[in-house]
Amino acid sequence: ARALENTAHDLKVSRDAQRRLLSDVSHELRSPLARMQVALMLSLDDQNEVTNPHFQQLSRDVERLSTIIERILSLSRLENGLVKLTPQPVDTHQLASTLVADLAYVDNHYGERLLVLDADWPVTLTDDELLRLVIENLVRNALQYTSGLVELDCIREHTETFIIVVRDHGDGVPEQQLEQLFEPFFRGDPSRHHKSGVGLGMALSVRAANVLGGSVSARNHPEGGLEISIRLPLNEVTNDDTNAVTSEHEADETQG
């Protein structure tokens, strides 16, 4: 028992040290990266953007580095309980539809591949930014790993919980890798057409869902493709809730 306890303690210390290292390194990288972005922006002109492939590649890589660093820092804040929830009435169907529109604005091909299914999408009290983060990371993962349709669906289990489902129509993943999908930096089978990222999106989604009081799980759909389920508490919105949130928002604006 002592040996098991010591081993568990050593693993916890090692994992905490890894998290701190990732957070510290990422934080230190933000300043030089921000300067690089400014220098690159000042160096670019319309002609360079159109004709110089080296500037285009540099711009994409700097943007990708920025995204990776922000994801690592977000993951660290979530794991250390530094994220403050701001619950408000959220129309989950509207949130999903807005996410699809935003992704389509960046890449029209993404918009053609994303489909929000007609379902019983609830209006619930939750943190809309965190919920969007959960869904967006999972949707982006599905878009990057597959080339077919990606569906967003919603299922009400009962009066206390609901599930948002993100399903692709790819080849799925080996059963033994399903649990590993949510580990930081895990990258699945290269044959799943992976195009970008370092394996943080899924881990970030799990931690954000946990902060919201929910969970995330994965399975291979019986008819093909990978299906990710986001199970969340259902806090039905009442008129009193809406009025309270509105009053709080107006008070913040007045103080501002």
Side-chain angles (χ1 to χ4, degrees):
R2 282 195 297 270
L4 288 173
E5 184 178 349
N6 290 335
T7 300
H9 177 266
D10 291 343
L11 287 173
K12 182 179 185 301
V13 170
S14 175
R15 186 169 184 179
D16 289 344
Q18 181 191 50
R19 290 174 179 173
R20 285 196 300 272
L21 177 62
L22 282 174
S23 179
D24 293 344
V25 170
S26 299
H27 189 272
E28 291 301 318
L29 288 174
R30 294 180 82 181
S31 294
L33 182 61
R35 291 193 294 270
M36 288 173 60
Q37 289 176 308
V38 172
L40 180 62
M41 182 178 63
L42 294 174
S43 301
L44 285 173
D45 55 37
D46 292 339
Q47 187 63 26
N48 278 331
E49 276 192 75
V50 173
T51 63
N52 193 323
H54 305 301
F55 272 106
Q56 294 175 10
Q57 184 63 52
L58 182 59
S59 180
R60 287 194 297 269
D61 286 341
V62 168
E63 184 63 30
R64 185 182 174 208
L65 276 174
S66 178
T67 300
I68 291 171
I69 289 172
E70 287 302 320
R71 284 184 176 179
I72 293 175
L73 290 173
S74 296
L75 183 58
S76 176
R77 288 193 293 268
L78 287 171
E79 289 179 327
N80 289 287
L82 301 178
V83 176
K84 180 182 178 182
L85 294 181
T86 54
Q88 59 184 337
V90 176
D91 185 330
T92 55
H93 183 268
Q94 182 178 350
L95 186 147
S97 300
T98 301
L99 172 59
V100 171
D102 290 346
L103 291 173
Y105 181 80
V106 175
D107 187 331
N108 187 56
H109 186 52
Y110 279 179
E112 295 173 352
R113 294 173 53 201
L114 282 169
L115 178 62
V116 179
L117 300 180
D118 290 331
D120 189 11
W121 294 83
V123 177
T124 182
L125 281 176
T126 189
D127 186 292
D128 61 336
E129 288 299 327
L130 267 187
L131 180 54
R132 179 184 168 112
L133 183 150
V134 175
I135 302 173
E136 182 170 359
N137 277 304
L138 297 176
V139 168
R140 285 185 179 276
N141 186 78
L143 290 169
Q144 290 168 358
Y145 272 100
T146 65
S147 58
L149 190 66
V150 176
E151 299 173 347
L152 278 74
D153 197 4
C154 188
I155 303 168
R156 294 210 194 196
E157 277 192 312
H158 41 71
T159 57
E160 298 180 353
T161 60
F162 69 101
I163 303 173
I164 295 177
V165 179
V166 179
R167 181 198 169 190
D168 65 49
H169 288 262
D171 298 326
V173 298
E175 290 293 327
Q176 65 272 19
Q177 290 186 0
L178 286 176
E179 292 298 324
Q180 293 176 281
L181 289 177
F182 304 111
E183 296 178 3
F185 302 110
F186 176 77
R187 297 174 70 176
D189 187 349
S191 66
R192 296 188 71 227
H193 311 295
H194 184 73
K195 298 175 183 177
S196 63
V198 292
L200 284 174
M202 302 279 276
L204 187 59
S205 290
V206 170
R207 283 148 179 83
N210 290 340
V211 171
L212 292 172
S215 62
V216 180
S217 60
R219 69 161 187 159
N220 288 310
H221 194 278
E223 298 179 6
L226 181 67
E227 181 179 272
I228 308 293
S229 296
I230 311 161
R231 181 173 281 101
L232 295 164
L234 176 57
N235 301 310
E236 292 279 10
V237 175
T238 66
N239 290 332
D240 291 340
D241 294 326
T242 303
N243 292 336
V245 172
T246 302
S247 299
E248 182 178 348
H249 179 68
E250 290 175 348
D252 290 340
E253 288 184 342
T254 301
Q255 292 174 1

PDB file of all heavy atoms in Angstrom, residues 56-91:
ATOM      1  N   GLN A  56       3.644  34.321 -46.962  1.00  0.00           N
ATOM      2  CA  GLN A  56       2.382  33.646 -46.668  1.00  0.00           C
ATOM      3  C   GLN A  56       2.602  32.487 -45.696  1.00  0.00           C
ATOM      4  O   GLN A  56       1.844  32.310 -44.738  1.00  0.00           O
ATOM      5  CB  GLN A  56       1.754  33.138 -47.965  1.00  0.00           C
ATOM      6  CG  GLN A  56       1.320  34.245 -48.921  1.00  0.00           C
ATOM      7  CD  GLN A  56       0.818  33.683 -50.240  1.00  0.00           C
ATOM      8  OE1 GLN A  56       0.614  32.481 -50.376  1.00  0.00           O
ATOM      9  NE2 GLN A  56       0.622  34.553 -51.213  1.00  0.00           N
ATOM     10  N   GLN A  57       3.661  31.698 -45.952  1.00  0.00           N
ATOM     11  CA  GLN A  57       3.957  30.569 -45.085  1.00  0.00           C
ATOM     12  C   GLN A  57       4.350  31.042 -43.689  1.00  0.00           C
ATOM     13  O   GLN A  57       3.908  30.484 -42.670  1.00  0.00           O
ATOM     14  CB  GLN A  57       5.089  29.727 -45.676  1.00  0.00           C
ATOM     15  CG  GLN A  57       5.405  28.457 -44.880  1.00  0.00           C
ATOM     16  CD  GLN A  57       4.227  27.505 -44.847  1.00  0.00           C
ATOM     17  OE1 GLN A  57       3.669  27.169 -45.879  1.00  0.00           O
ATOM     18  NE2 GLN A  57       3.839  27.064 -43.656  1.00  0.00           N
ATOM     19  N   LEU A  58       5.177  32.086 -43.624  1.00  0.00           N
ATOM     20  CA  LEU A  58       5.591  32.628 -42.341  1.00  0.00           C
ATOM     21  C   LEU A  58       4.391  33.135 -41.552  1.00  0.00           C
ATOM     22  O   LEU A  58       4.281  32.911 -40.342  1.00  0.00           O
ATOM     23  CB  LEU A  58       6.600  33.754 -42.554  1.00  0.00           C
ATOM     24  CG  LEU A  58       7.182  34.403 -41.289  1.00  0.00           C
ATOM     25  CD1 LEU A  58       7.889  33.357 -40.435  1.00  0.00           C
ATOM     26  CD2 LEU A  58       8.126  35.534 -41.673  1.00  0.00           C
ATOM     27  N   SER A  59       3.479  33.803 -42.228  1.00  0.00           N
ATOM     28  CA  SER A  59       2.280  34.320 -41.569  1.00  0.00           C
ATOM     29  C   SER A  59       1.440  33.189 -41.002  1.00  0.00           C
ATOM     30  O   SER A  59       0.953  33.258 -39.865  1.00  0.00           O
ATOM     31  CB  SER A  59       1.463  35.149 -42.563  1.00  0.00           C
ATOM     32  OG  SER A  59       0.297  35.643 -41.939  1.00  0.00           O
ATOM     33  N   ARG A  60       1.264  32.123 -41.767  1.00  0.00           N
ATOM     34  CA  ARG A  60       0.474  30.983 -41.287  1.00  0.00           C
ATOM     35  C   ARG A  60       1.130  30.314 -40.085  1.00  0.00           C
ATOM     36  O   ARG A  60       0.468  29.942 -39.118  1.00  0.00           O
ATOM     37  CB  ARG A  60       0.274  29.972 -42.415  1.00  0.00           C
ATOM     38  CG  ARG A  60      -0.706  30.414 -43.488  1.00  0.00           C
ATOM     39  CD  ARG A  60      -1.115  29.236 -44.368  1.00  0.00           C
ATOM     40  NE  ARG A  60       0.021  28.683 -45.097  1.00  0.00           N
ATOM     41  CZ  ARG A  60       0.394  29.080 -46.309  1.00  0.00           C
ATOM     42  NH1 ARG A  60      -0.267  30.052 -46.923  1.00  0.00           N
ATOM     43  NH2 ARG A  60       1.413  28.511 -46.919  1.00  0.00           N
ATOM     44  N   ASP A  61       2.447  30.162 -40.137  1.00  0.00           N
ATOM     45  CA  ASP A  61       3.143  29.477 -39.050  1.00  0.00           C
ATOM     46  C   ASP A  61       3.140  30.302 -37.770  1.00  0.00           C
ATOM     47  O   ASP A  61       2.994  29.754 -36.669  1.00  0.00           O
ATOM     48  CB  ASP A  61       4.592  29.169 -39.464  1.00  0.00           C
ATOM     49  CG  ASP A  61       4.667  28.030 -40.469  1.00  0.00           C
ATOM     50  OD1 ASP A  61       3.681  27.266 -40.559  1.00  0.00           O
ATOM     51  OD2 ASP A  61       5.687  27.904 -41.155  1.00  0.00           O
ATOM     52  N   VAL A  62       3.298  31.616 -37.889  1.00  0.00           N
ATOM     53  CA  VAL A  62       3.249  32.478 -36.706  1.00  0.00           C
ATOM     54  C   VAL A  62       1.854  32.434 -36.083  1.00  0.00           C
ATOM     55  O   VAL A  62       1.704  32.358 -34.859  1.00  0.00           O
ATOM     56  CB  VAL A  62       3.635  33.928 -37.074  1.00  0.00           C
ATOM     57  CG1 VAL A  62       3.303  34.878 -35.929  1.00  0.00           C
ATOM     58  CG2 VAL A  62       5.117  34.020 -37.394  1.00  0.00           C
ATOM     59  N   GLU A  63       0.830  32.456 -36.916  1.00  0.00           N
ATOM     60  CA  GLU A  63      -0.539  32.376 -36.418  1.00  0.00           C
ATOM     61  C   GLU A  63      -0.789  31.039 -35.731  1.00  0.00           C
ATOM     62  O   GLU A  63      -1.445  30.967 -34.682  1.00  0.00           O
ATOM     63  CB  GLU A  63      -1.526  32.562 -37.565  1.00  0.00           C
ATOM     64  CG  GLU A  63      -2.992  32.584 -37.142  1.00  0.00           C
ATOM     65  CD  GLU A  63      -3.314  33.754 -36.233  1.00  0.00           C
ATOM     66  OE1 GLU A  63      -2.656  34.811 -36.373  1.00  0.00           O
ATOM     67  OE2 GLU A  63      -4.202  33.613 -35.376  1.00  0.00           O
ATOM     68  N   ARG A  64      -0.233  29.973 -36.301  1.00  0.00           N
ATOM     69  CA  ARG A  64      -0.415  28.653 -35.701  1.00  0.00           C
ATOM     70  C   ARG A  64       0.297  28.566 -34.351  1.00  0.00           C
ATOM     71  O   ARG A  64      -0.237  28.006 -33.389  1.00  0.00           O
ATOM     72  CB  ARG A  64       0.127  27.583 -36.645  1.00  0.00           C
ATOM     73  CG  ARG A  64      -0.140  26.175 -36.143  1.00  0.00           C
ATOM     74  CD  ARG A  64       0.431  25.126 -37.059  1.00  0.00           C
ATOM     75  NE  ARG A  64       0.262  23.805 -36.461  1.00  0.00           N
ATOM     76  CZ  ARG A  64       1.068  22.772 -36.706  1.00  0.00           C
ATOM     77  NH1 ARG A  64       2.082  22.924 -37.517  1.00  0.00           N
ATOM     78  NH2 ARG A  64       0.856  21.609 -36.154  1.00  0.00           N
ATOM     79  N   LEU A  65       1.500  29.125 -34.259  1.00  0.00           N
ATOM     80  CA  LEU A  65       2.221  29.150 -32.989  1.00  0.00           C
ATOM     81  C   LEU A  65       1.419  29.895 -31.928  1.00  0.00           C
ATOM     82  O   LEU A  65       1.338  29.467 -30.769  1.00  0.00           O
ATOM     83  CB  LEU A  65       3.582  29.820 -33.173  1.00  0.00           C
ATOM     84  CG  LEU A  65       4.728  28.943 -33.682  1.00  0.00           C
ATOM     85  CD1 LEU A  65       5.961  29.800 -33.950  1.00  0.00           C
ATOM     86  CD2 LEU A  65       5.049  27.840 -32.686  1.00  0.00           C
ATOM     87  N   SER A  66       0.825  31.004 -32.315  1.00  0.00           N
ATOM     88  CA  SER A  66       0.010  31.789 -31.388  1.00  0.00           C
ATOM     89  C   SER A  66      -1.161  30.962 -30.877  1.00  0.00           C
ATOM     90  O   SER A  66      -1.479  30.975 -29.675  1.00  0.00           O
ATOM     91  CB  SER A  66      -0.496  33.060 -32.080  1.00  0.00           C
ATOM     92  OG  SER A  66      -1.326  33.800 -31.215  1.00  0.00           O
ATOM     93  N   THR A  67      -1.812  30.230 -31.777  1.00  0.00           N
ATOM     94  CA  THR A  67      -2.951  29.393 -31.385  1.00  0.00           C
ATOM     95  C   THR A  67      -2.527  28.300 -30.425  1.00  0.00           C
ATOM     96  O   THR A  67      -3.200  28.021 -29.420  1.00  0.00           O
ATOM     97  CB  THR A  67      -3.597  28.773 -32.629  1.00  0.00           C
ATOM     98  OG1 THR A  67      -4.054  29.813 -33.496  1.00  0.00           O
ATOM     99  CG2 THR A  67      -4.778  27.884 -32.245  1.00  0.00           C
ATOM    100  N   ILE A  68      -1.390  27.643 -30.712  1.00  0.00           N
ATOM    101  CA  ILE A  68      -0.902  26.565 -29.853  1.00  0.00           C
ATOM    102  C   ILE A  68      -0.607  27.078 -28.450  1.00  0.00           C
ATOM    103  O   ILE A  68      -0.983  26.468 -27.435  1.00  0.00           O
ATOM    104  CB  ILE A  68       0.358  25.930 -30.465  1.00  0.00           C
ATOM    105  CG1 ILE A  68      -0.006  25.164 -31.744  1.00  0.00           C
ATOM    106  CG2 ILE A  68       1.039  24.987 -29.466  1.00  0.00           C
ATOM    107  CD1 ILE A  68       1.194  24.683 -32.524  1.00  0.00           C
ATOM    108  N   ILE A  69       0.065  28.233 -28.375  1.00  0.00           N
ATOM    109  CA  ILE A  69       0.418  28.804 -27.073  1.00  0.00           C
ATOM    110  C   ILE A  69      -0.835  29.168 -26.281  1.00  0.00           C
ATOM    111  O   ILE A  69      -0.934  28.903 -25.074  1.00  0.00           O
ATOM    112  CB  ILE A  69       1.329  30.029 -27.264  1.00  0.00           C
ATOM    113  CG1 ILE A  69       2.716  29.568 -27.743  1.00  0.00           C
ATOM    114  CG2 ILE A  69       1.463  30.824 -25.964  1.00  0.00           C
ATOM    115  CD1 ILE A  69       3.626  30.698 -28.147  1.00  0.00           C
ATOM    116  N   GLU A  70      -1.818  29.778 -26.946  1.00  0.00           N
ATOM    117  CA  GLU A  70      -3.047  30.145 -26.252  1.00  0.00           C
ATOM    118  C   GLU A  70      -3.781  28.908 -25.750  1.00  0.00           C
ATOM    119  O   GLU A  70      -4.374  28.922 -24.668  1.00  0.00           O
ATOM    120  CB  GLU A  70      -3.950  30.958 -27.181  1.00  0.00           C
ATOM    121  CG  GLU A  70      -3.468  32.375 -27.418  1.00  0.00           C
ATOM    122  CD  GLU A  70      -3.321  33.165 -26.127  1.00  0.00           C
ATOM    123  OE1 GLU A  70      -4.184  33.024 -25.234  1.00  0.00           O
ATOM    124  OE2 GLU A  70      -2.351  33.916 -26.008  1.00  0.00           O
ATOM    125  N   ARG A  71      -3.727  27.822 -26.505  1.00  0.00           N
ATOM    126  CA  ARG A  71      -4.391  26.593 -26.067  1.00  0.00           C
ATOM    127  C   ARG A  71      -3.700  26.010 -24.843  1.00  0.00           C
ATOM    128  O   ARG A  71      -4.359  25.517 -23.920  1.00  0.00           O
ATOM    129  CB  ARG A  71      -4.415  25.576 -27.211  1.00  0.00           C
ATOM    130  CG  ARG A  71      -5.449  25.886 -28.271  1.00  0.00           C
ATOM    131  CD  ARG A  71      -5.506  24.803 -29.317  1.00  0.00           C
ATOM    132  NE  ARG A  71      -6.571  25.061 -30.280  1.00  0.00           N
ATOM    133  CZ  ARG A  71      -6.829  24.267 -31.316  1.00  0.00           C
ATOM    134  NH1 ARG A  71      -6.092  23.192 -31.525  1.00  0.00           N
ATOM    135  NH2 ARG A  71      -7.810  24.545 -32.140  1.00  0.00           N
ATOM    136  N   ILE A  72      -2.370  26.034 -24.841  1.00  0.00           N
ATOM    137  CA  ILE A  72      -1.646  25.512 -23.690  1.00  0.00           C
ATOM    138  C   ILE A  72      -1.956  26.324 -22.442  1.00  0.00           C
ATOM    139  O   ILE A  72      -2.197  25.784 -21.361  1.00  0.00           O
ATOM    140  CB  ILE A  72      -0.128  25.514 -23.968  1.00  0.00           C
ATOM    141  CG1 ILE A  72       0.211  24.500 -25.069  1.00  0.00           C
ATOM    142  CG2 ILE A  72       0.648  25.174 -22.697  1.00  0.00           C
ATOM    143  CD1 ILE A  72       1.657  24.522 -25.500  1.00  0.00           C
ATOM    144  N   LEU A  73      -1.976  27.659 -22.578  1.00  0.00           N
ATOM    145  CA  LEU A  73      -2.278  28.515 -21.436  1.00  0.00           C
ATOM    146  C   LEU A  73      -3.719  28.330 -20.958  1.00  0.00           C
ATOM    147  O   LEU A  73      -3.994  28.336 -19.761  1.00  0.00           O
ATOM    148  CB  LEU A  73      -2.021  29.980 -21.802  1.00  0.00           C
ATOM    149  CG  LEU A  73      -0.542  30.357 -21.987  1.00  0.00           C
ATOM    150  CD1 LEU A  73      -0.411  31.776 -22.512  1.00  0.00           C
ATOM    151  CD2 LEU A  73       0.215  30.202 -20.683  1.00  0.00           C
ATOM    152  N   SER A  74      -4.636  28.172 -21.906  1.00  0.00           N
ATOM    153  CA  SER A  74      -6.033  27.932 -21.541  1.00  0.00           C
ATOM    154  C   SER A  74      -6.169  26.620 -20.787  1.00  0.00           C
ATOM    155  O   SER A  74      -6.896  26.530 -19.788  1.00  0.00           O
ATOM    156  CB  SER A  74      -6.923  27.916 -22.793  1.00  0.00           C
ATOM    157  OG  SER A  74      -6.926  29.171 -23.430  1.00  0.00           O
ATOM    158  N   LEU A  75      -5.463  25.590 -21.254  1.00  0.00           N
ATOM    159  CA  LEU A  75      -5.494  24.288 -20.599  1.00  0.00           C
ATOM    160  C   LEU A  75      -4.970  24.406 -19.171  1.00  0.00           C
ATOM    161  O   LEU A  75      -5.535  23.848 -18.230  1.00  0.00           O
ATOM    162  CB  LEU A  75      -4.647  23.295 -21.392  1.00  0.00           C
ATOM    163  CG  LEU A  75      -4.596  21.848 -20.914  1.00  0.00           C
ATOM    164  CD1 LEU A  75      -5.982  21.251 -20.871  1.00  0.00           C
ATOM    165  CD2 LEU A  75      -3.679  21.037 -21.799  1.00  0.00           C
ATOM    166  N   SER A  76      -3.900  25.178 -18.988  1.00  0.00           N
ATOM    167  CA  SER A  76      -3.323  25.365 -17.660  1.00  0.00           C
ATOM    168  C   SER A  76      -4.303  26.088 -16.740  1.00  0.00           C
ATOM    169  O   SER A  76      -4.473  25.715 -15.570  1.00  0.00           O
ATOM    170  CB  SER A  76      -2.021  26.158 -17.773  1.00  0.00           C
ATOM    171  OG  SER A  76      -1.490  26.429 -16.495  1.00  0.00           O
ATOM    172  N   ARG A  77      -4.951  27.132 -17.243  1.00  0.00           N
ATOM    173  CA  ARG A  77      -5.903  27.881 -16.409  1.00  0.00           C
ATOM    174  C   ARG A  77      -7.078  27.004 -15.989  1.00  0.00           C
ATOM    175  O   ARG A  77      -7.551  27.083 -14.856  1.00  0.00           O
ATOM    176  CB  ARG A  77      -6.402  29.112 -17.165  1.00  0.00           C
ATOM    177  CG  ARG A  77      -5.364  30.209 -17.294  1.00  0.00           C
ATOM    178  CD  ARG A  77      -6.003  31.502 -17.768  1.00  0.00           C
ATOM    179  NE  ARG A  77      -6.492  31.406 -19.132  1.00  0.00           N
ATOM    180  CZ  ARG A  77      -5.777  31.733 -20.204  1.00  0.00           C
ATOM    181  NH1 ARG A  77      -4.530  32.165 -20.064  1.00  0.00           N
ATOM    182  NH2 ARG A  77      -6.287  31.625 -21.414  1.00  0.00           N
ATOM    183  N   LEU A  78      -7.555  26.172 -16.906  1.00  0.00           N
ATOM    184  CA  LEU A  78      -8.670  25.291 -16.587  1.00  0.00           C
ATOM    185  C   LEU A  78      -8.278  24.272 -15.522  1.00  0.00           C
ATOM    186  O   LEU A  78      -9.027  24.018 -14.579  1.00  0.00           O
ATOM    187  CB  LEU A  78      -9.145  24.569 -17.853  1.00  0.00           C
ATOM    188  CG  LEU A  78      -9.906  25.403 -18.875  1.00  0.00           C
ATOM    189  CD1 LEU A  78     -10.120  24.610 -20.148  1.00  0.00           C
ATOM    190  CD2 LEU A  78     -11.242  25.859 -18.320  1.00  0.00           C
ATOM    191  N   GLU A  79      -7.099  23.687 -15.669  1.00  0.00           N
ATOM    192  CA  GLU A  79      -6.672  22.647 -14.738  1.00  0.00           C
ATOM    193  C   GLU A  79      -6.397  23.195 -13.339  1.00  0.00           C
ATOM    194  O   GLU A  79      -6.483  22.471 -12.355  1.00  0.00           O
ATOM    195  CB  GLU A  79      -5.427  21.951 -15.283  1.00  0.00           C
ATOM    196  CG  GLU A  79      -5.710  21.073 -16.491  1.00  0.00           C
ATOM    197  CD  GLU A  79      -4.461  20.407 -17.026  1.00  0.00           C
ATOM    198  OE1 GLU A  79      -3.376  21.007 -16.944  1.00  0.00           O
ATOM    199  OE2 GLU A  79      -4.581  19.286 -17.547  1.00  0.00           O
ATOM    200  N   ASN A  80      -6.052  24.462 -13.267  1.00  0.00           N
ATOM    201  CA  ASN A  80      -5.739  25.056 -11.970  1.00  0.00           C
ATOM    202  C   ASN A  80      -6.906  25.840 -11.386  1.00  0.00           C
ATOM    203  O   ASN A  80      -6.736  26.580 -10.409  1.00  0.00           O
ATOM    204  CB  ASN A  80      -4.514  25.968 -12.101  1.00  0.00           C
ATOM    205  CG  ASN A  80      -3.237  25.178 -12.311  1.00  0.00           C
ATOM    206  OD1 ASN A  80      -2.722  24.541 -11.401  1.00  0.00           O
ATOM    207  ND2 ASN A  80      -2.728  25.185 -13.524  1.00  0.00           N
ATOM    208  N   GLY A  81      -8.089  25.706 -11.981  1.00  0.00           N
ATOM    209  CA  GLY A  81      -9.279  26.333 -11.438  1.00  0.00           C
ATOM    210  C   GLY A  81      -9.272  27.840 -11.493  1.00  0.00           C
ATOM    211  O   GLY A  81      -9.878  28.499 -10.646  1.00  0.00           O
ATOM    212  N   LEU A  82      -8.583  28.414 -12.482  1.00  0.00           N
ATOM    213  CA  LEU A  82      -8.478  29.866 -12.583  1.00  0.00           C
ATOM    214  C   LEU A  82      -9.525  30.476 -13.503  1.00  0.00           C
ATOM    215  O   LEU A  82      -9.515  31.672 -13.743  1.00  0.00           O
ATOM    216  CB  LEU A  82      -7.073  30.257 -13.079  1.00  0.00           C
ATOM    217  CG  LEU A  82      -5.911  29.792 -12.188  1.00  0.00           C
ATOM    218  CD1 LEU A  82      -4.577  30.195 -12.787  1.00  0.00           C
ATOM    219  CD2 LEU A  82      -6.059  30.360 -10.781  1.00  0.00           C
ATOM    220  N   VAL A  83     -10.395  29.640 -14.065  1.00  0.00           N
ATOM    221  CA  VAL A  83     -11.446  30.128 -14.947  1.00  0.00           C
ATOM    222  C   VAL A  83     -12.692  30.440 -14.126  1.00  0.00           C
ATOM    223  O   VAL A  83     -13.186  29.586 -13.384  1.00  0.00           O
ATOM    224  CB  VAL A  83     -11.781  29.101 -16.046  1.00  0.00           C
ATOM    225  CG1 VAL A  83     -12.944  29.590 -16.884  1.00  0.00           C
ATOM    226  CG2 VAL A  83     -10.571  28.861 -16.934  1.00  0.00           C
ATOM    227  N   LYS A  84     -13.195  31.649 -14.235  1.00  0.00           N
ATOM    228  CA  LYS A  84     -14.405  32.049 -13.519  1.00  0.00           C
ATOM    229  C   LYS A  84     -15.608  31.917 -14.433  1.00  0.00           C
ATOM    230  O   LYS A  84     -15.624  32.473 -15.527  1.00  0.00           O
ATOM    231  CB  LYS A  84     -14.277  33.498 -13.033  1.00  0.00           C
ATOM    232  CG  LYS A  84     -15.502  33.989 -12.262  1.00  0.00           C
ATOM    233  CD  LYS A  84     -15.345  35.429 -11.845  1.00  0.00           C
ATOM    234  CE  LYS A  84     -16.591  35.922 -11.116  1.00  0.00           C
ATOM    235  NZ  LYS A  84     -16.467  37.354 -10.736  1.00  0.00           N
ATOM    236  N   LEU A  85     -16.581  31.159 -13.984  1.00  0.00           N
ATOM    237  CA  LEU A  85     -17.777  30.954 -14.791  1.00  0.00           C
ATOM    238  C   LEU A  85     -18.703  32.168 -14.704  1.00  0.00           C
ATOM    239  O   LEU A  85     -18.856  32.764 -13.637  1.00  0.00           O
ATOM    240  CB  LEU A  85     -18.524  29.710 -14.331  1.00  0.00           C
ATOM    241  CG  LEU A  85     -17.818  28.368 -14.527  1.00  0.00           C
ATOM    242  CD1 LEU A  85     -18.718  27.240 -14.035  1.00  0.00           C
ATOM    243  CD2 LEU A  85     -17.458  28.150 -15.982  1.00  0.00           C
ATOM    244  N   THR A  86     -19.299  32.508 -15.829  1.00  0.00           N
ATOM    245  CA  THR A  86     -20.298  33.582 -15.872  1.00  0.00           C
ATOM    246  C   THR A  86     -21.563  33.019 -16.528  1.00  0.00           C
ATOM    247  O   THR A  86     -21.807  33.247 -17.713  1.00  0.00           O
ATOM    248  CB  THR A  86     -19.779  34.799 -16.658  1.00  0.00           C
ATOM    249  OG1 THR A  86     -19.336  34.378 -17.969  1.00  0.00           O
ATOM    250  CG2 THR A  86     -18.613  35.436 -15.939  1.00  0.00           C
ATOM    251  N   PRO A  87     -22.373  32.270 -15.764  1.00  0.00           N
ATOM    252  CA  PRO A  87     -23.576  31.658 -16.341  1.00  0.00           C
ATOM    253  C   PRO A  87     -24.560  32.707 -16.832  1.00  0.00           C
ATOM    254  O   PRO A  87     -24.772  33.741 -16.190  1.00  0.00           O
ATOM    255  CB  PRO A  87     -24.165  30.853 -15.176  1.00  0.00           C
ATOM    256  CG  PRO A  87     -23.037  30.679 -14.219  1.00  0.00           C
ATOM    257  CD  PRO A  87     -22.204  31.910 -14.350  1.00  0.00           C
ATOM    258  N   GLN A  88     -25.151  32.432 -17.968  1.00  0.00           N
ATOM    259  CA  GLN A  88     -26.195  33.277 -18.525  1.00  0.00           C
ATOM    260  C   GLN A  88     -27.048  32.409 -19.447  1.00  0.00           C
ATOM    261  O   GLN A  88     -26.629  31.317 -19.827  1.00  0.00           O
ATOM    262  CB  GLN A  88     -25.590  34.442 -19.300  1.00  0.00           C
ATOM    263  CG  GLN A  88     -24.685  34.019 -20.446  1.00  0.00           C
ATOM    264  CD  GLN A  88     -24.030  35.208 -21.130  1.00  0.00           C
ATOM    265  OE1 GLN A  88     -24.529  36.312 -21.067  1.00  0.00           O
ATOM    266  NE2 GLN A  88     -22.920  34.970 -21.785  1.00  0.00           N
ATOM    267  N   PRO A  89     -28.259  32.855 -19.782  1.00  0.00           N
ATOM    268  CA  PRO A  89     -29.092  32.053 -20.684  1.00  0.00           C
ATOM    269  C   PRO A  89     -28.417  31.886 -22.048  1.00  0.00           C
ATOM    270  O   PRO A  89     -28.047  32.869 -22.686  1.00  0.00           O
ATOM    271  CB  PRO A  89     -30.380  32.876 -20.794  1.00  0.00           C
ATOM    272  CG  PRO A  89     -30.392  33.743 -19.581  1.00  0.00           C
ATOM    273  CD  PRO A  89     -28.964  34.059 -19.293  1.00  0.00           C
ATOM    274  N   VAL A  90     -28.248  30.649 -22.469  1.00  0.00           N
ATOM    275  CA  VAL A  90     -27.596  30.355 -23.741  1.00  0.00           C
ATOM    276  C   VAL A  90     -28.514  29.476 -24.585  1.00  0.00           C
ATOM    277  O   VAL A  90     -28.910  28.392 -24.157  1.00  0.00           O
ATOM    278  CB  VAL A  90     -26.244  29.644 -23.533  1.00  0.00           C
ATOM    279  CG1 VAL A  90     -25.631  29.249 -24.875  1.00  0.00           C
ATOM    280  CG2 VAL A  90     -25.286  30.525 -22.744  1.00  0.00           C
ATOM    281  N   ASP A  91     -28.848  29.959 -25.773  1.00  0.00           N
ATOM    282  CA  ASP A  91     -29.599  29.171 -26.745  1.00  0.00           C
ATOM    283  C   ASP A  91     -28.586  28.293 -27.464  1.00  0.00           C
ATOM    284  O   ASP A  91     -27.814  28.760 -28.297  1.00  0.00           O
ATOM    285  CB  ASP A  91     -30.309  30.100 -27.728  1.00  0.00           C
ATOM    286  CG  ASP A  91     -31.200  29.350 -28.704  1.00  0.00           C
ATOM    287  OD1 ASP A  91     -30.881  28.178 -29.038  1.00  0.00           O
ATOM    288  OD2 ASP A  91     -32.207  29.922 -29.167  1.00  0.00           O
TER     289      ASP A  91
END
